[in-house]
């Protein structure tokens, strides 16, 4: 069965530093891949998605992610962290040909220090 | 703006007292999902509707039921809430397109936080 692994349940960076949140998937057939952000007491907001076009995907709020088939990875990055980026981030996959059920990683909580 | 709306945002109920959470969407999507999310955990899918077809996850307790009277609305009924049912409940929608090339991102509502006293 498909699974998603997010390394690091909690990541802390300084304001202005690089943000790197890791996500690996298990499928041998590249799935559709998503990153969602969740602020406290809010729903999930889509940051970006990979749907087999460009391997480098740009999203909202300055985030981007690169799909690497050889590494079965879809890590999320942002060159310079802002205080407002503090939130929980979820990586999710959806198998091709499915109706769209998402399989979520366990999430990574990002803290940004001033 | 097209969106997913959940009411209420915060719901307090008593142990064993039935409660209904509601979700509506203006996206005209085929699929509507209900998730339960406990603190510091990923959302857990309870069930979803593809149009009127109901799909229950195998481990969803019988205490949880759902209704979808039309395309726009979907309800989550908790028949006898226990303390362990206190959580954030998220509604989501997707287009539900079929086919190998169809990707179906999900659009989430703001959630309803349920407290059980």
């Amino acid at each position: 069965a498909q699974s998603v692994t997010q390394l690091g349940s909690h990541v802390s960076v300084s304001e202005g530093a690089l943000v790197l949140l890791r996500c690996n998937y298990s499928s041998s057939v590249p799935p559709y891949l998503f990153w969602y952000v969740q602020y406290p007491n809010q729903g999930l907001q889509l940051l970006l998605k990979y749907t087999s076009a460009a391997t480098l995907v740009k999203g909202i709020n300055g985030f981007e992610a690169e799909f690497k088939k050889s590494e079965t990875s879809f890590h999320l990055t942002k060159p310079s962290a802002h205080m407002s980026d503090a939130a929980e981030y979820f990586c999710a996959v959806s198998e091709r040909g499915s109706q769209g059920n998402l399989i979520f990683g366990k999430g990574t909580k990002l803290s940004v220090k001033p | 703006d097209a969106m997913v709306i959940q009411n209420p945002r915060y719901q307090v109920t008593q142990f064993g007292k039935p409660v209904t959470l509601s979700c509506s969407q203006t996206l005209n999507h085929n699929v509507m999902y209900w998730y339960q999310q406990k603190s510091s955990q990923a959302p857990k899918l309870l069930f979803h509707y593809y149009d009127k077809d109901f799909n229950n996850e195998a481990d969803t307790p019988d205490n949880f039921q759902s209704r979808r009277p039309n395309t726009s609305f979907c309800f989550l009924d908790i028949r006898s809430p226990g303390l362990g049912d206190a959580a954030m409940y998220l509604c989501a929608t997707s287009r539900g397109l079929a086919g190998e090339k169809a990707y179906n991102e999900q659009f989430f509502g703001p959630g309803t936080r349920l407290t059980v006293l």
Side-chain angles (χ1 to χ4, degrees):
Chain A
Q2 178 72 265
S3 66
V4 180
T5 303
Q6 289 185 242
L7 283 176
S9 60
H10 194 180
V11 170
S12 182
V13 300
S14 297
E15 192 173 20
L18 172 71
V19 176
L20 171 60
L21 305 181
R22 300 177 187 273
C23 173
N24 289 86
Y25 63 91
S26 64
S27 175
S28 58
V29 176
Y32 298 121
L33 294 149
F34 307 87
W35 274 100
Y36 285 88
V37 61
Q38 186 177 33
Y39 298 100
N41 287 314
Q42 296 289 327
L44 276 67
Q45 180 183 8
L46 183 69
L47 272 179
L48 47 79
K49 61 189 178 225
Y50 168 74
T51 59
S52 77
T55 56
L56 182 62
V57 181
K58 294 189 183 298
I60 62 171
N61 302 339
F63 284 93
E64 61 183 37
E66 185 172 9
F67 170 72
K68 291 187 177 180
K69 183 178 178 180
S70 61
E71 298 177 7
T72 60
S73 69
F74 190 56
H75 301 331
L76 182 70
T77 60
K78 182 173 180 177
S80 177
H82 192 272
M83 296 296 290
S84 61
D85 294 327
E88 185 105 31
Y89 292 80
F90 292 96
C91 181
V93 304
S94 173
E95 293 193 12
R96 291 173 185 273
S98 73
Q99 288 182 356
N101 285 13
L102 291 176
I103 299 164
F104 284 94
K106 292 188 176 181
T108 298
K109 186 172 183 178
L110 176 66
S111 299
V112 181
K113 298 174 291 186
Chain B
D1 287 341
M3 55 198 305
V4 182
I5 303 160
Q6 289 188 247
N7 285 307
R9 294 292 315 279
Y10 299 89
Q11 176 74 57
V12 180
T13 190
Q14 291 179 334
F15 183 94
K17 185 175 181 181
V19 65
T20 295
L21 309 182
S22 75
C23 176
S24 63
Q25 55 131 340
T26 61
L27 297 161
N28 202 32
H29 282 173
N30 293 323
V31 191
M32 294 187 77
Y33 305 82
W34 278 106
Y35 290 88
Q36 179 192 65
Q37 186 181 28
K38 296 192 176 180
S39 183
S40 299
Q41 295 184 21
K44 177 181 181 298
L45 183 63
L46 296 173
F47 24 60
H48 73 278
Y49 275 94
Y50 189 100
D51 287 332
K52 295 190 176 189
D53 292 334
F54 179 67
N55 298 270
N56 198 29
E57 293 301 299
D59 57 353
T60 298
D62 292 340
N63 198 26
F64 291 86
Q65 304 286 321
S66 185
R67 296 170 283 134
R68 188 179 186 186
N70 53 52
T71 300
S72 300
F73 285 88
C74 195
F75 299 98
L76 170 62
D77 300 309
I78 308 176
R79 292 192 297 186
S80 182
L83 298 179
D85 297 327
M88 174 75 92
Y89 290 87
L90 297 168
C91 175
T93 72
S94 74
R95 290 178 295 172
L97 299 177
E100 186 67 22
K101 294 186 178 181
Y103 62 91
N104 289 290
E105 68 185 83
Q106 293 188 17
F107 296 80
F108 285 80
T112 295
R113 181 163 295 284
L114 178 68
T115 300
V116 182
L117 301 176

